[in-house]
Amino acid sequence: MKLPEFNQAAVLVVGDLMLDRNWQGDTSRISPEAPVPVVHVKDVEDRPGGAGNVALNIAALETRVSLLGYAGNDDAGHSLQGLLEQANVNCQFERLINQPTITKLRILSRHQQLIRLDFEDGFHDLPVAKLIADFDAGLATHDVVVLSDYGKGTLACAPELILAAKAVGKKVLIDPKGHDFSKYRGATLITPNWSEFQAVVGECKNELELVQKGTELLLDLELEALLVTRGEKGMSLLQPGQAPIHLPTQAQEVFDVTGAGDTVISTLAASLAAGASFSDATVLANQAAGLVVAKLGTATISQQELKASLHTVGDMPRGVVSAEQLDLAIRAARINGEKIVLTNGCFDILHPGHVRYLQQAKALGDRLVILVNDDASVGRLKGPERPINDLATRAEMLSALACVDWVCEFAEDSPREHICRILPDVLVKGGDYQRIEDIEGHDCVAKAGGSTYVLDYVDGCSTTNLIKNIRDSEREG
C-alpha cells in the first residue's frame, strides 16, 4: 500500500481542552527578593494542549478534523480556538461561564523549564446533553472517533459516546487515563503507555508477560486492538487471534517526549480513517512518534516528514535482520508501494543454481526476502551431517548477493507460520517443486491476493550433488 490518502478522511475528536502557554527568556541573575532566577521574558507562545494537540496533529496530516470539548469564556479559551481554527480544525466548544479554560503556563530559559503554573479546577457535574448531541450529529460525517482523556472530567460520559459511535459502525480510539479502564469497554482500540498499562494489569517482566496480560485486558474490555507505547522500547500491538507486533523505537535523538502520545493516537486515527490496517497504522504512528520526540516542546508531524522517514525505514540496510526488523522493513516498504518477493530454504552450499534462481526471484518485485533455516532445523531436514556451513556463514553469503535485500532465520521445520504472517506479494520456490500446491504457505499468499511461482534451477546444480562429488573425490584421492 501507499501512504494513506489522509486528505480523504475525517476524524472526530472529543476530550479535555487545554491551552499550553510558554514564556521564554534569558536568565542571568538571582532575584534580590528570593533565591530564584529572574527570567527576562522575550517570547510568549500559546499552543493547543490536551485534546487540542491531538486535533492539531491530525490536521497537520491534512486530515479533516472536528473537535468537541469544554472551554471557559475567557481570553485563554478564545486564544485556543483561534489557534486551532488557523490550523483548519473545526471547533465546537461548549463555553462555560463560571469555569476557566484549563491553562498550563510554563516558564522556560534556554529550553529548560523552570516552573509550571496550572490554572484549572477540572470539570465536574457538567451538563453533557449538548456535547452528546453534537457528537451524535458529527458521527455521520466522520470516519473515526478519538476520545482524548486527560482526566479533567470531559469524558465522564465516555461509555455513552462509545456506544453511540459503535452503533453506527465507527471506530473509537482512546488515549486512556487513570487506573480504571472499564469505562472504555467496547472501544475499538486504546493506547496506554507503559506505566499506565502496568498500573492496570500489574508488572510485566518481559514481552511474554506483556502479551499474556495485554491479551487478557483486550478480551475483558472487548477491544479490537491494544497498542502499548513503551518509550525507548518502541510499541506493541495486540489483536485477538493474531501474533503480536513489537516495533522498535524509530527515535534517533530524543529532545522532548512532550505530546508524543498525542502524536501516536493522532497518526493512528488519521491512518485508520484513511483505510489503513491496524498494523500499517501502527507502523506510521511509530514513525511519527520517533520524529516528534526529536523536536522541542509539543509539535506536529507533516505528511512530507512522515513520507520521508518511511523511505528511510524502507531503505533499512540490506543484510541479516531479526524477525522484528524484517516486519518493520516490509511494512514500511509496502507503504512506499514496493512489491515483496519471498523465498525460503537451507542454502547450505551456495552455488550457481541458487544465484540464478534468486536473481529471477528479485526480478518479480522490488524487495527479495529470504527465510533461511537455522542449523537445528537443517539437521532435522537433511540429516545429522548437515549443515556443512553454519547459519552465520550461510546468512552472510546470501546477504552478499546484490539481488537479496533481507535475510532472516527461522527455527521451525516449515516456514508456513512466517509466510502466512508476512504474506508476500510473490512467493517463489526452486524447480525441485513440481506443483504449487506442495509449496508451504501458498494458500495464505493466494488468499491475500498474492502469487506463487516455481522457478528453474540451473541443470546439474544442487547442494547434495556438490557434497557427493566432494566426498567421492576425497575417497578417490
Side-chain angles (χ1 to χ4, degrees), residues 179-202:
H179 297 170
D180 179 15
F181 286 1
S182 63
K183 57 188 173 181
Y184 308 127
R185 179 169 282 107
T188 304
L189 175 149
I190 63 174
T191 62
N193 63 33
W194 188 231
S195 297
E196 293 165 339
F197 176 70
Q198 290 193 106
V200 171
V201 305

Side-chain angles (χ1 to χ4, degrees), residues 346 348 373-389 394 411-413:
C346 299
D348 193 357
N373 295 77
D374 71 1
D375 292 343
S377 64
V378 174
R380 292 192 297 270
L381 293 169
K382 301 291 187 179
E385 295 182 351
R386 302 280 296 275
I388 302 299
N389 292 306
R394 291 181 286 123
E412 298 80 7
D413 292 348

Side-chain angles (χ1 to χ4, degrees), residues 128-192:
V128 298
K130 185 176 185 305
L131 180 75
I132 293 175
D134 288 343
F135 179 79
D136 290 341
L139 287 174
T141 55
H142 296 80
D143 305 298
V144 166
V145 170
V146 173
L147 303 185
S148 180
D149 194 351
Y150 277 79
K152 307 303 180 184
T154 302
L155 291 174
C157 58
E160 297 168 77
L161 301 181
I162 294 169
L163 285 174
K166 295 304 287 293
V168 294
K170 305 295 183 180
K171 289 183 173 66
V172 182
L173 280 55
I174 301 178
D175 190 358
K177 195 73 173 180
H179 297 170
D180 179 15
F181 286 1
S182 63
K183 57 188 173 181
Y184 308 127
R185 179 169 282 107
T188 304
L189 175 149
I190 63 174
T191 62

